[in-house]
Amino acid sequence: QVRALPGRKWTQTHRCWYVPLEQNTLAQAWQQKAMDDAQMTDADIQNEYQAQVKALGTQEFRLRHVLVTDEKQAQQVLDKIKAGAKFDQVAKESSRDPGTRDKGGLSDWVAEGRLAPAIRQAVEGLKAGQMATKPVQTPAGWQVLRLEEKRALTEPSLDAVKPQLRLALAQRQAQAKLAALRSSAKVE
């Protein structure tokens, strides 16, 4: 319980600020304890590794893209590039993706399993240097895409990703404990 300092009284404003803060702190401490107590075997880590590697796919792509808000704008960008404008210049002028705009729309290497399904489908049959024939709608907005490069995916070694795998498994176990607590709780 959070208590007022000696000689001071709690006001409603104090309660509105400190009670949620206390609850959040306790929840974070519980979650950290649950993660610290997580039990996993080498076989659990190996299985998680294999599942994650499988989800990455077999290829990775390097793309250029221009991200805009609507289909009409995306079509205008595509038409401008088809008319001879340089893709990277149009990306610098029109893209709303702050991570790639200044690089002419150039992304880092992305595993096929990490691409949005619509993007993966749009670049599947493309060769290096080819653009997708039409704009692609994704959760982030509308995108005009060009495949820069494609290569076989080199999977990370188990040792290199073991800390992340342990963390993912511990988080999953903590979430399962929380779900069990919620389902058994009696709220009146």
Side-chain angles (χ1 to χ4, degrees):
Q1 279 274 5
V2 176
R3 292 190 171 91
L5 295 172
R8 295 188 186 237
K9 292 184 178 180
W10 279 105
T11 66
Q12 188 61 31
T13 303
H14 287 111
R15 284 185 183 86
C16 289
W17 281 92
Y18 291 109
V19 171
L21 179 62
E22 177 187 34
Q23 291 171 345
N24 188 35
T25 302
L26 290 172
Q28 287 176 351
W30 179 90
Q31 184 177 21
Q32 187 61 50
K33 173 91 170 94
M35 288 175 55
D36 290 344
D37 293 345
Q39 301 291 316
M40 61 196 80
T41 65
D42 287 341
D44 294 333
I45 294 169
Q46 181 67 35
N47 290 338
E48 182 68 15
Y49 172 75
Q50 290 172 347
Q52 293 288 336
V53 166
K54 184 177 180 182
L56 290 174
T58 59
Q59 306 180 81
E60 57 185 348
F61 301 94
R62 193 147 191 224
L63 305 169
R64 272 193 202 275
H65 76 120
V66 180
L67 175 65
V68 294
T69 53
D70 59 53
E71 185 177 15
K72 180 180 177 187
Q73 194 178 9
Q75 190 59 53
Q76 290 171 345
V77 165
L78 182 62
D79 293 343
K80 188 174 183 178
I81 294 168
K82 284 182 176 179
K86 292 188 181 258
F87 197 105
D88 60 335
Q89 190 60 40
V90 174
K92 288 177 183 178
E93 295 168 357
S94 305
S95 185
R96 61 184 194 101
D97 179 3
T100 62
R101 179 180 45 234
D102 293 338
K103 298 185 288 185
L106 187 62
S107 71
D108 293 328
W109 286 98
V110 182
E112 68 182 313
R114 297 247 165 93
L115 289 173
I119 293 176
R120 188 172 52 241
Q121 186 177 13
V123 299
E124 231 169 34
L126 297 180
K127 293 179 182 165
Q130 287 184 319
M131 282 192 347
T133 56
K134 58 185 180 180
V136 177
Q137 185 177 19
T138 67
W142 285 85
Q143 299 193 39
V144 176
L145 301 165
R146 183 172 80 189
L147 176 63
E148 292 297 310
E149 299 176 73
K150 180 184 348 184
R151 67 183 182 193
L153 177 73
T154 303
E155 60 191 50
S157 71
L158 174 61
D159 289 335
V161 295
K162 196 177 269 190
Q164 295 95 321
L165 296 171
R166 286 185 187 280
L167 179 61
L169 288 168
Q171 287 173 334
R172 196 173 304 141
Q173 287 182 25
Q175 290 300 321
K177 283 182 183 179
L178 182 59
L181 286 172
R182 283 184 176 148
S183 68
S184 66
K186 295 180 182 175
V187 179
E188 295 179 11

